[in-house]
Amino acid sequence: MALNQSGWKPEMTSGEERGPVATFTGARALMRDEALIFEIGSTDTTGVDFDILPGTGRETSEAGGGGAPSSAASADSPLHRPADGPPPHAGEDRLGGLARTREIGLPGLSEPETVRHYTRLSRQNYAIDTGIFPLGSCTMKHNPRLNERVARMPGFADIHPLQPTDTVQGALEVIHQLSYWLVTLTAMHSVAMSPKAGAHGELCGILAIRAALEARGDTRQVILVPESAHGTNPATAAFAGYKVEGIPANKQGRVDLNALKARLGPDVAAVMITNPNTCGLFEPDMKAISDAVHAAGGFVYCDGANFNAIVGRVRPGDLGVDAMHINLHKTFSTPHGGGGPGSGPVVFSQALTPYAPLPFVEKRDDGFHLVEEETADENHAHSFGRMVAFHGQMGMFTRALAYMLSHGADGLKQVAEDAVLNANYVLRSLSDVLQAPFGDSGPCMHEALFSDKGLAEGFSTLDIAKALIDEGYHPMTMYFPLVVHGAMLIEPTETESKAGLDQFIGAVRSVVARAKAGDEALKGAPWYAPRRRLDETLAARKPVLVWRDPEPAQAAE
Amino acid sequence: MRYLPLTPDDRTAMLAEIGAGSVDELFADVPDHARLDGPIRDLPGHASEMAVERHMAKLARKNLTAGDGPFFLGCGAYRHHVPATVDHIIQRGEYLTAYTPYQPEIAQGTLQMLFEFQTQVARLFGCDVANASMYDGSTACWEAITMAGRVTKRHRAVLSSGLHPHYVSVANTMATFTGDTLITATPELTAEPDTDALIEAIDDQTSCVVVQYPDILGRIGDLSELAEACHARKALLIAVVTEPVALGAIKAPGEMGADIVVGEGQSLGVGLQFGGPYVGLFACSQKLVRQMPGRLCGETVDAEGKRGYVLTLSTREQHIRREKATSNICTNSGLCALAFSIHMTLLGEKGLRQLAQANHTLACKAADRLAQVPGVELVNTAFFNEFTVKLPTEARPVVRALADQGVLAGVSLGRLYPADDMLAGGLVVAVTETTTEDDIEQLATALKEVLA
């Protein structure tokens, strides 16, 4: 494999396209492109030095007998062979004849080049640390740095999932404390900590429901999912082997209770409902829905992605919910890292508790225990099994617990109140320029929903979104929920100041005014981002998913 | 309430703007029976940064950390040295606090990184393409089995006895609900993996054979013959790599004919973290790409013709296809993928090979040294940085006793297979570059004492 080591240069761009002055590098001051590591690195460069073999330099044959190790390796010891020399013990491996012969093609960079590469790339990212991230139903809030410090304490970061449990009592206690907070805040009976993300939690809840039904010999095959649900809900139900049927929304953007009741019957295993829902509205009939589902012999799954709107104000257990996942990264602010990791513990009602997955932590008189196998304890013989290799997202648990302790019960209630206040402030401040489809049906919860009605002919939600980028903002959620035409879903969260919201609202108003006036420049937006609009159709039609050296690629054509 | 910027005056002004008399009015849709008006009993009030740090540090100190003494645990999670640069860079807010790159024009940093990550993983595994990471190795393994079902329209998966038992458990859990049949077995303490048994188990209904490489006992075997046998019956070969550093020393599964290669990327950049978050690796051949689960980053051009990156082939995904999606996944392990990618970039090919060599050489020393302890028998002939020894007694209490001396000796097979008495004497020992020869000596000495 040949890596490009000839010195990559960005393409020259014309001044007309990129501003009044064309620069030699194509860069615009602090905004610069960064080549790929495959273009600037090489397979014989490395940014790490380590003792190729740490230790004493004794020959293997001398190692027996348990004698005291000698202190330093001599200069010519095979253990301290210079990095550029032949590999130690060449030809003496015990790799069963499978030693790698072919080059892998992994480019390396020195440490300074590595730091610069990733730092430059980072500057092409928008993040909650650089501004408001008003993605509805995604909930991007401030990530306290104390949580990062806590997660990196060696007592949490440098312990192995299979250590003897009496050597990890502190870690098990973290899981136990976090479980206590989650169960108390939700008024539920138990919690499964291992699911690795919200959608994984959904699967966990549905599997517990299925196990409970099977335990009573019930073979119900249908799961009802309201059309305002996250796309993960129907995908989860289908993945778990269920037939998925939709339930329409009523004119107020809520689940149509009558339609739901009419559909309930002996074939319905569960209803998956999001509350507060993806229109940003509380489902006031939730208890009636739960009662009806239970009366028909089914279970209620609640998508808890929007729990941040009601934490400390409403307990899902009081609404008859049987299972609900909680996205720790949303409600309890663990950083989302450009797509994950997440963490999705699932709280269960008493009815589903016996079917919860393994492993889990139990407090006994002599300390904390880890129940890993159903055979280990007859009380857990109904568990539906294991969902992940180990115990879930410990690194997220420590962050979430630190966040909960920082806020306390009083602070978490304030979190919900401020999140709802901020969202309603946005709803009212924009409802004279943007149509709010459910604006007349009272306050919203944590997010404000608008449609694209009233824009000039040919202008869409996408144009508003891309123009917001030029104003320095991450766009809102676009085209979701599906029940609203050209949906724009704005979720400010509780960690935005009033001044910051006022500025954001001003920017949205300005962009909407331009879209109503038919300002063609909007259609070219963004103009000032690291990239102009990207051709997503081309990417899907001719997928290029890995880097290939352009020269051999050309030669092959 | 240091994380909440609204002042009481702000709140009053905003309520006036909205036209609400109080915050309670904003919760008007919540019926009275569901409303929690008073304080939440049983939970404490807010605490200062210092108090929280003190509380958490107290809990952290109750754990025996891997750095406290000789440490030999592996079985799917490995302790490697992570350069300081890795953790420094992933803490940059632009990576740490970014969301899924749905607006590609202002997410090129994350997207280019994911494209580089995909390429690194594909090359390391010897495959055409890779995705932008999954939750972890065990869930990636299950997703690969379901993908094989979609590709072959068959639902009988043959799992190697050398596959990590937790991975088998996860697959079993999921199979209960999707109707797949899994053929499983527990390992025997023999020097060679069970290739012949696997080949015999393949029939015309087999969607895939799943084999771990190196396997749970640390054994390595050539996959070529198995790949041929799978392909002859139109089944797929899925290889599972829980220790990616091994591929700096041994042949890649893709090179030997595996159709899908999944793995756990924790070894590079991520750290032990008591089991998570980790990073699932997922690679396959080009022709299977549209059946692949998870997020994919692809190259394209912008309106000016400049190269750029976007999430692509999203028509496979839950937000488009809903109940017809290839998977319900909508979260990957983006930040862990970044850590993996930075670590890999720092190493480069040369560094990875040196790292692998150091791991292997030290493991050879440890295997030979432990085999000299009276009563201890080395099971493996071939291995990378992890091997199994057979003790003359149950390994689980031995591990327990060694922990009291500050030596974390390895993973007893009794912990992984509590129901199988034949494996009770097995101890899986992992050695990495963080292990010193002193550590090996201490383990051997302590083991000798405990067994005496």
Side-chain angles (χ1 to χ4, degrees), chain B residues 211-347:
Chain B
V211 60
Q212 186 173 318
Y213 173 86
D215 77 2
I216 188 67
L217 303 184
R219 302 173 301 192
I220 38 183
D222 196 327
L223 304 181
S224 309
E225 196 190 344
L226 190 55
E228 273 174 36
C230 285
H231 298 155
R233 289 289 183 99
K234 294 192 164 45
L236 302 184
L237 177 62
I238 298 172
V240 179
V241 177
T242 61
E243 171 51 296
V245 173
L247 301 185
I250 56 178
K251 283 182 185 165
E255 212 181 317
M256 294 182 281
D259 303 279
I260 304 174
V261 185
V262 296
E264 173 53 70
Q266 171 273 334
S267 274
L268 289 166
V270 178
L272 291 172
Q273 302 193 87
F274 200 49
Y278 285 178
V279 51
L281 312 178
F282 198 117
C284 67
S285 57
Q286 180 74 41
K287 65 176 195 269
L288 301 178
V289 66
R290 283 173 200 269
Q291 290 297 334
M292 205 182 207
R295 290 279 148 84
L296 289 171
C297 172
E299 187 179 301
T300 187
V301 292
D302 77 354
E304 291 177 0
K306 292 185 80 175
R307 179 172 71 181
Y309 302 91
V310 295
L311 291 180
T312 193
L313 299 183
S314 56
T315 48
R316 305 162 298 117
E317 291 186 61
Q318 39 76 26
H319 59 278
I320 310 270
R321 299 253 292 169
R322 294 172 78 87
E323 66 266 29
K324 293 188 180 64
T326 54
S327 159
N328 74 333
I329 278 185
C330 87
T331 292
N332 61 350
S333 279
L335 198 69
C336 300
L338 173 66
F340 178 100
S341 197
I342 298 168
H343 195 174
M344 190 67 101
T345 300
L346 278 167
L347 288 167

Side-chain angles (χ1 to χ4, degrees), chain A residues 283-344:
Chain A
E283 294 284 354
D285 295 330
M286 189 72 196
K287 186 72 170 69
I289 293 171
S290 300
D291 289 346
V293 174
H294 290 154
F299 288 95
V300 178
Y301 186 86
C302 182
D303 183 320
N306 301 328
F307 187 53
N308 61 311
I310 55 170
V311 61
R313 303 269 329 192
V314 178
R315 301 184 304 177
D318 297 336
L319 300 171
V321 168
D322 291 296
M324 181 179 96
H325 74 264
I326 299 165
N327 303 70
L328 294 184
H329 51 286
K330 292 184 174 186
T331 303
F332 303 108
S333 91
T334 65
H336 205 49
S343 181

Side-chain angles (χ1 to χ4, degrees), chain A residues 195-500:
Chain A
K196 290 202 166 255
H200 203 220
E202 290 172 27
L203 207 47
C204 173
I206 294 304
L207 296 185
I209 287 169
R210 182 149 183 169
L213 288 170
E214 283 183 356
R216 67 181 195 215
D218 204 326
T219 55
R220 293 160 183 252
Q221 280 305 315
V222 176
I223 286 185
L224 305 180
V225 184
E227 54 189 23
S228 65
H230 287 128
T232 48
N233 289 182
T236 297
F239 204 61
Y242 282 99
K243 188 164 169 277
V244 181
E245 286 185 31
I247 292 291
N250 63 22
K251 283 182 185 150
Q252 286 78 44
R254 271 84 168 193
V255 175
D256 187 328
L257 180 61
N258 291 327
L260 177 79
K261 279 184 172 171
R263 180 59 191 84
L264 287 174
D267 59 338
V268 175
V271 173
M272 292 183 88
I273 191 164
T274 305
N275 193 16
N277 71 23
T278 52
C279 298
L281 303 169
F282 192 81
E283 294 284 354
D285 295 330
M286 189 72 196
K287 186 72 170 69
I289 293 171
S290 300
D291 289 346
V293 174
H294 290 154
F299 288 95
V300 178
Y301 186 86
C302 182
D303 183 320
N306 301 328
F307 187 53
N308 61 311
I310 55 170
V311 61
R313 303 269 329 192
V314 178
R315 301 184 304 177
D318 297 336
L319 300 171
V321 168
D322 291 296
M324 181 179 96
H325 74 264
I326 299 165
N327 303 70
L328 294 184
H329 51 286
K330 292 184 174 186
T331 303
F332 303 108
S333 91
T334 65
H336 205 49
S343 181
V346 179
V347 287
F348 286 112
S349 64
Q350 190 151 15
L352 289 184
T353 292
Y355 308 97
L358 298 163
F360 48 88
V361 173
E362 260 186 7
K363 189 179 183 184
R364 296 181 201 150
D365 291 343
D366 61 342
F368 296 94
H369 289 257
L370 195 60
V371 180
E372 286 193 281
E373 300 297 331
E374 54 269 57
T375 50
D377 185 340
E378 285 180 10
N379 293 331
H380 308 298
H382 295 298
S383 166
F384 74 69
R386 181 184 279 273
M387 291 197 78
V388 294
F390 302 117
H391 326 307
Q393 309 287 67
M394 187 64 193
M396 301 288 115
F397 300 162
T398 47
R399 288 173 174 92
L401 183 59
Y403 184 82
M404 289 175 176
L405 293 168
S406 297
H407 271 300
D410 50 336
L412 289 177
K413 190 174 177 187
Q414 190 71 53
V415 161
E417 291 180 0
D418 283 2
V420 171
L421 179 60
N422 277 352
N424 278 283
Y425 186 67
V426 170
L427 181 69
R428 289 305 148 202
S429 303
L430 291 174
S431 54
D432 60 329
V433 293
L434 277 173
Q435 202 224 22
F438 308 114
D440 295 335
S441 60
C444 61
M445 298 304 286
H446 57 295
E447 55 196 0
L449 178 61
F450 302 98
S451 82
D452 65 351
K453 280 189 184 157
L455 303 183
E457 183 68 28
F459 285 80
S460 67
T461 293
L462 183 73
D463 301 314
I464 305 277
K466 299 302 182 190
L468 274 173
I469 291 175
D470 282 336
E471 298 287 341
Y473 292 109
H474 195 284
M476 62 283 159
T477 292
M478 305 185 298
Y479 303 111
F480 181 82
L482 307 174
V483 290
V484 170
H485 191 272
M488 300 178 216
L489 190 59
I490 300 177
E491 177 169 8
T493 81
E494 72 280 5
T495 59
E496 296 303 325
S497 68
K498 179 174 181 296

Side-chain angles (χ1 to χ4, degrees), chain A residues 90-102:
Chain A
E92 295 174 32
D93 67 62
R94 290 161 68 182
L95 300 172
L98 289 169
R100 203 186 248 281
T101 48
R102 232 183 266 172

